[in-house]
Amino acid sequence: MTLTDPQVASVGLSEQEARTKGIDLMVSKLPLSYVPRALAARETRGFIKLIADRRMNRLVGAHILGTEAGEMIQEPTLAITHGIKVDDLAAAFHPYLTLAEGIKLAAQTFTKDVKKLQGRSGLKTWIFSILTNRAKTRGRRDKRSVPFSVLSGLDPEDEPAVHRSRFTSSGGWAPPPERWDEDTPERLLLGSETRALIDHAIAELPAGQRAVITLRDIEGLDLAEICNILEISGTNQRVLLHRARAKIRSALEQHLHRP
Amino acid sequence: MLTCQELTELVTDYLENRMSFMDRLRFRVHIGMCRHCRAYLDQMRKTIRTLGELSAEPIPPAIRDELLARFRDWKR
Ligand SMILES: [Zn+2]
């Protein structure tokens, strides 16, 4: 590691060295301007470059230029030493809004072309997909990011808030919902099993619903902010939120009242 | 009068305060008379509370504001 500003930190092979060895390479280069923490700190000079052996699916080198490069290089160092698979690195839990998250994003960039995310809208999409995938990334593997186009689309076939079978033909409850104890949320969150159940229920939501419920109920953003970020109308947003919440409630109900 | 089934579709608008005065009134009248829908509304509030406590890693307010400011910048 070299103490310059920004710092330079390297571990393993350089791209050149790896090529000389005849390794079939994958190279991922992620500018720090794509890392939310760096963006938020206004320290976007630099990049993370990861070099991997395609066949082995293992990291062989990492080169970081950035203000905290010395800190960030620790994880790739471990990954190289212990032969951790690139996929595992890309899927492992990294706290959101840390520079360490940059390593994960760089590992994911092996399969996504960050250069295609050019310009403002690309950057926005990128950060947005990170935001909206948070619910899913807790202990789960990223499958896809969320294209914006999905968000405005409302599925007219989507089911009602409460299944029709719960009502009589005149629209009254049958059977009615049970009363939940005052400490129900706290009790639900005590068990890792229940947490996993909620995470799963969120992960199963269509992209738009997942985005809105994550931003609104988990992150606590204003409705107006969410409209801005997702570029959807207030009405669409409320429909998405409504359906998402109804599904989570229903999942909790099934869990709480299982025989 | 509003049916229970209709009410379940209005809960989000009610909780997010996006209802006309008259609709809100109708909603409240139903809730006042129907304990099942009161239970449903309460379940929904608790669901939202559960989700709110889910964030293991809350975004620090300063960073969140910064990100939001940037989202706004990108609009221009
Ligand atoms: Zn009712």
Side-chain angles (χ1 to χ4, degrees):
Chain A
M1 192 192 107
T2 325
L3 279 178
T4 50
D5 180 33
Q7 300 170 357
V8 185
S10 281
V11 61
L13 303 177
S14 71
E15 189 175 347
Q16 188 64 49
E17 287 165 347
R19 284 200 197 288
T20 321
K21 288 190 164 203
I23 299 173
D24 182 12
L25 293 184
M26 300 192 286
V27 178
S28 152
K29 189 171 173 184
L30 183 73
L32 287 187
S33 54
Y34 286 85
V35 179
R37 183 70 187 89
L39 255 178
R42 293 184 185 277
E43 275 295 348
T44 54
R45 290 174 304 162
F47 59 84
I48 300 167
K49 182 171 174 182
L50 301 181
I51 298 156
D53 180 323
R54 188 186 306 276
R55 198 177 54 80
M56 300 289 286
N57 190 28
R58 290 203 177 136
L59 223 51
V60 294
H63 310 277
I64 304 175
L65 174 71
T67 41
E68 301 294 337
E71 302 288 326
M72 280 193 277
I73 202 74
Q74 298 306 324
E75 190 180 5
T77 306
L78 277 174
I80 293 171
T81 316
H82 296 286
I84 294 167
K85 296 225 179 285
V86 171
D87 289 351
D88 292 332
L89 199 58
F93 176 79
H94 290 69
Y96 180 64
L97 280 170
T98 60
L99 284 170
E101 189 186 29
I103 303 295
K104 173 185 180 135
L105 296 173
Q108 291 176 341
T109 308
F110 281 120
T111 49
K112 287 175 200 162
D113 189 359
V114 76
K115 301 206 175 52
K116 281 188 186 151
L117 301 169
Q118 267 168 4
R120 295 177 163 202
S121 66
L123 185 55
K124 186 175 138 186
T125 309
W126 175 261
I127 289 193
F128 168 73
S129 71
I130 295 163
L131 260 178
T132 53
N133 277 322
R134 276 189 75 200
K136 211 164 89 168
T137 50
R138 274 192 304 270
R140 283 175 64 93
R141 186 175 289 256
D142 266 8
K143 284 197 202 105
R144 61 210 149 117
S145 60
V146 183
F148 265 27
S149 55
V150 180
L151 295 170
S152 48
L154 292 175
D155 183 0
E157 301 290 302
D158 210 347
E159 58 269 49
V162 178
H163 196 268
R164 286 175 199 84
S165 64
R166 292 291 297 273
F167 299 100
T168 63
S169 54
S170 55
W173 286 101
E178 291 187 30
R179 287 208 64 85
W180 288 358
D181 295 333
E182 209 37 58
D183 63 347
T184 296
E186 290 72 21
R187 270 193 301 116
L188 279 170
L189 294 171
L190 275 180
S192 59
E193 178 208 355
T194 340
R195 272 184 179 266
L197 175 123
I198 300 169
D199 283 347
H200 181 73
I202 295 172
E204 292 295 305
L205 295 172
Q209 294 180 17
R210 178 156 37 84
V212 174
I213 200 168
T214 303
L215 294 174
R216 176 68 183 144
D217 289 339
I218 301 180
E219 304 297 351
L221 302 195
D222 292 344
L223 288 177
E225 293 284 13
I226 301 169
C227 285
N228 253 330
I229 294 173
L230 304 184
E231 295 174 339
I232 55 179
S233 73
T235 309
N236 275 6
Q237 176 192 285
R238 287 202 305 285
V239 173
L240 292 170
L241 182 62
H242 182 66
R243 287 178 177 165
R245 282 178 176 172
K247 283 177 196 161
I248 305 299
R249 185 209 68 87
S250 164
L252 293 181
E253 181 181 53
Q254 273 176 36
H255 175 75
L256 286 165
H257 306 303
R258 67 191 162 173
Chain B
M1 197 186 122
L2 210 58
T3 68
C4 298
Q5 192 169 16
E6 286 164 349
L7 185 133
T8 60
E9 296 298 344
L10 296 173
V11 165
T12 303
D13 283 354
Y14 177 77
L15 291 175
E16 297 292 334
N17 239 323
R18 300 294 154 120
M19 263 184 174
S20 70
F21 177 76
M22 282 312 289
D23 284 346
R24 203 166 175 80
L25 198 63
R26 288 197 319 146
F27 189 98
R28 297 194 63 118
V29 166
H30 184 119
I31 286 290
M33 296 189 312
C34 175
R35 67 195 167 91
H36 297 329
C37 283
R38 272 203 300 282
Y40 181 80
L41 182 63
D42 181 65
Q43 284 189 1
M44 204 49 109
R45 284 204 168 105
K46 285 178 176 144
T47 299
I48 295 164
R49 207 168 90 210
T50 306
L51 289 165
E53 289 176 22
L54 205 56
S55 187
E57 205 83 31
I59 305 182
I63 294 179
R64 202 184 81 172
D65 292 350
E66 176 68 31
L67 280 173
L68 288 174
R70 278 162 192 270
F71 275 123
R72 276 192 290 272
D73 286 349
W74 290 326
K75 295 279 164 197
R76 293 184 203 122

